[in-house]
Amino acid sequence: MKYAMIHDMEKCIGCQGCTIACRSENAIPDGYFRLKVKVDGPKGEFPNLSFNYVRHSCEMCEHTPCVTVCPTHASFMDENGIVDINADVCVGCLYCVVACPYNARYVNPLTNVPDKCNFCKHTHLKQYGEPACVAVCPTDALIFGDLDDPLSPIFSYLANKPFVTNKPHLGTKPKLFVVPNKKGGVVL
């Protein structure tokens, strides 16, 4: 099994429902985030304006700089391709925070341990089969599934839609795919 997610910018309306669900599901302290949607725009001229809504979270890399630099193996990739952190093994060196080329990690001020999106692995994914952000998206702009399963919705979506990944030149092979907004384009 290899979990992945798609953010379809054509469908995203920037409602922040995913951000709120993530904060609630994972008890994220105020001022911090595992996921947020950035508003890029407006672009164009009135009355023909458009916006891009860009998801900012862990990219779930296959070639993980954050895992590679961890001296205690507190940062790891599980059997489902989810990059996670074992707080009990973490020594707080913060190498993983610095190594992440996507700025997707932060230090949780309550635990003093680096934190990041883990597809709600211990909570919503375990209980309902999908991350909280996917469950609340009103426009189905987030698609979650198994890249190894040809019957998974993510499999057919990627086969039929043009997509990009963030910073492909780094060779990290992100498993967060983006369907670009045709109106405003996308710059990752």
Side-chain angles (χ1 to χ4, degrees), residues 102-133:
Y102 304 101
N103 282 336
R105 291 181 178 235
Y106 70 95
V107 177
N108 186 316
L110 304 176
T111 63
N112 291 320
V113 174
D115 200 1
K116 57 173 273 316
C117 170
N118 64 0
F119 288 153
C120 300
K121 163 181 165 172
H122 303 290
T123 57
H124 210 272
L125 178 60
K126 186 176 183 179
Q127 192 169 9
Y128 301 105
E130 64 185 359
C133 59

Side-chain angles (χ1 to χ4, degrees), residues 18 28 42 45 55 74 90 95 100 143 146:
C18 56
I28 307 300
E45 293 186 28
R55 179 186 171 103
C90 180
Y95 290 173
C100 177
I143 298 98
D146 179 5

